[in-house]
Amino acid sequence: MGLDWNPGPKAKPGHEREFLELWTELQDKSCASREKKVQRFREITTSAFETIAAPRVGFDASATDWARKIFPNRKDKSLTEDAFLKQMQGFYVLDLAPPCDGLPRYTNGSAGGYVERYAFRGQFLNSCTEIIGDPLLESAYVSKLPEDTDRFGQSLLTAASQFALSHGIDSSKVQLAEDPDAIEFRLDVVFSAGRWCRFWAERGHWLEAYW
């Protein structure tokens, strides 16, 4: 499957301490009463969908229109359009959200997929060790609280900037590279990864490493 990053939910105001306690406990795979703690964690957190302010089916006309457009292309033909829209009620459509660093170019996500469009495809960093080095790559596989996510993102940006400078590469033009074998392409991956981390960390979300 490979490495993906998700923006983990952030603490609701007034629940920061409980959030930290539960987050720490849930990182332990042998955590006792996990199901109960996961439920409480969900109650005191806000999702990345809400932060990104994505339109919702049944609440925003643009999202409802999006659902109507995809309805004819569904493999399952057993539902009527009305039943389908009812089933989709409340679905966040990230494809309709304004462009931002939190919706990365490098993603394995899709609407309703195993990861969403806000997920960063961290697997790309495995081809970028000449830029970021082994320690940063190893860190990419570790979930991080917001402050650590922010520091990690800054480290990625610094590594990419220093590499570009030492190799005489104009970092403002790396987004134009389409060849995955080109160093400019890999630089863009690292810059994008760093910006993604900082975007979500600055909004209180943590990095969930998923593979």
Side-chain angles (χ1 to χ4, degrees):
M1 184 177 292
L3 174 66
D4 293 288
W5 296 341
N6 279 321
K10 69 177 181 180
K12 291 181 179 178
H15 293 279
E16 290 82 3
R17 182 173 179 177
E18 185 181 6
F19 166 88
L20 180 58
E21 292 173 351
L22 284 172
W23 186 90
T24 302
E25 291 181 43
L26 290 170
Q27 296 312 299
D28 185 348
K29 293 183 179 179
S30 61
C31 170
S33 304
R34 173 174 289 275
E35 185 175 339
K36 181 179 179 180
K37 290 175 181 176
V38 167
Q39 178 59 36
R40 179 56 182 164
F41 191 71
R42 289 172 178 163
E43 292 172 355
I44 65 168
T45 55
T46 299
S47 74
F49 288 114
E50 295 169 272
T51 295
I52 213 76
R56 300 175 70 193
V57 176
F59 294 85
D60 300 284
S62 60
T64 304
D65 289 343
W66 173 89
R68 287 197 177 97
K69 288 177 182 177
I70 69 168
F71 171 74
N73 301 321
R74 285 175 53 83
K75 292 181 180 180
D76 181 3
K77 304 296 183 181
S78 63
L79 293 176
T80 64
E81 182 177 293
D82 286 344
F84 173 68
L85 291 176
K86 185 176 181 180
Q87 186 182 75
M88 293 289 288
Q89 179 83 3
F91 185 87
Y92 290 92
V93 185
L94 290 174
D95 287 345
L96 299 179
C100 64
D101 290 330
L103 295 173
R105 176 182 178 186
Y106 304 101
T107 183
N108 230 20
S110 60
Y114 83 93
V115 289
E116 286 285 352
R117 264 279 289 115
Y118 52 47
F120 188 90
R121 183 61 170 168
Q123 189 69 18
F124 276 110
L125 292 173
N126 284 281
S127 301
C128 303
T129 51
E130 64 185 303
I131 300 170
I132 65 175
D134 290 331
L136 280 180
L137 178 60
E138 291 172 8
S139 184
Y141 284 82
V142 180
S143 296
K144 300 169 177 62
L145 288 167
E147 55 269 31
D148 295 321
T149 299
D150 187 65
R151 283 192 289 268
F152 179 61
Q154 186 56 58
S155 294
L156 290 172
L157 293 173
T158 298
S161 295
Q162 291 177 344
F163 185 93
L165 182 63
S166 65
H167 288 74
I169 298 172
D170 184 350
S171 59
S172 67
K173 297 181 179 179
V174 297
Q175 292 187 29
L176 301 177
E178 297 293 340
D179 180 3
D181 293 324
I183 190 60
E184 289 83 1
F185 181 92
R186 297 196 292 279
L187 269 170
D188 189 43
V189 169
V190 179
F191 276 121
S192 297
R195 291 193 298 266
W196 184 95
C197 288
R198 300 211 68 196
F199 176 92
W200 288 109
E202 288 171 359
R203 288 156 181 80
H205 292 268
W206 53 283
L207 185 158
E208 179 185 22
Y210 179 80
W211 70 95

